[in-house]
Amino acid sequence: MEEIEGYTVVPLRMSSDAQHCHSVYMREHFIRLMDPNKPKGRTLFLLNIPPYVTEESLKGFFKRAGNVESVQFAAKPGKDETIKWYESTNEPFSNVRPPFIFKVAYVVFQKSSSIGKALAVPSIDLFHSSGESTIKTGMELWHEEYENHYILDAEKTKAQITEYMADYDRRERAAALAAKNSEADADGWVTVGKEGRNAGFEQKESVIGRLEKKRENDTKTKELKNFYTFQIRESKMQNIVEMRKKFEEDKRKIELLKQSRRFKPF
């Protein structure tokens, strides 16, 4: 174990006989601005964490230094980086995945005395006493990610969809209620809030009413326009009549151009 510019450097081992390991840099986390997610005196900061390392594996290892409250990953150090990292993965049914890159980690302990014990470990061993690794890498990791793309538990997926749609409906109702309760200014304009489909859009209530009515009328007009056989037949006949009419008009125009001697086809 060595130190470089205030960091304790330890190897990250995947097995007991590992000879070539990644080096992880650790120190107590401290910043000028207070962050409730990374409390001062109880947070351990780690650099150069491989992309395949998981929260569970770090929790399992550092619990020997004391009870671990949370493990947070980020692409780089910074107060808001962990928030950006998790926002991309919290959305249900999203294809967005955390970037497969080296990252930093914040290990939050329940007691401040655990920091000193964590910094004293000779290595970060991510394997069981039997020698089996606590994380998956290589083909095993890729196979697991591939399998996770398929829906295996239909009931669980159905419950997730139901919960997601219920939450969506609540958001839509709240946005509609906020728009309805907003007060008009002196010119009669109503400011729509930043929620809903038209975020930040401003318009008069009277104009919005006319637009909604026009959209309903257009929808009714388009309904069943070419549904029945006789409607399709009449539509074709109408097109033929219009094409013949256009043809006759073009013929007359050509004749007029010929008479005026301005028609030069070649």
Side-chain angles (χ1 to χ4, degrees), residues 175 178-180 182 190-202:
K180 184 177 180 180
S182 60
V190 176
T191 302
V192 181
K194 293 184 179 180
E195 300 291 337
R197 297 177 180 176
N198 297 324
F201 180 77
E202 296 183 353

Side-chain angles (χ1 to χ4, degrees), residues 192-250:
V192 181
K194 293 184 179 180
E195 300 291 337
R197 297 177 180 176
N198 297 324
F201 180 77
E202 296 183 353
Q203 187 57 275
K204 291 182 179 179
E205 289 184 342
S206 58
V207 176
I208 294 175
R210 288 199 299 271
L211 290 174
E212 291 291 338
K213 186 175 181 181
K214 183 177 183 301
R215 186 177 66 177
E216 292 178 2
N217 293 336
D218 291 343
T219 303
K220 291 180 180 179
T221 303
K222 293 178 181 178
E223 288 178 352
L224 301 178
K225 187 174 182 179
N226 291 317
F227 182 77
Y228 296 103
T229 303
F230 76 91
Q231 290 178 322
I232 298 174
R233 184 169 58 250
E234 290 178 357
S235 178
K236 289 182 178 179
M237 291 297 296
Q238 182 66 27
N239 290 336
I240 293 173
V241 171
E242 291 179 357
M243 290 176 63
R244 287 177 177 174
K245 183 178 179 181
K246 181 68 168 55
F247 177 70
E248 294 298 331
E249 290 179 354
D250 291 341

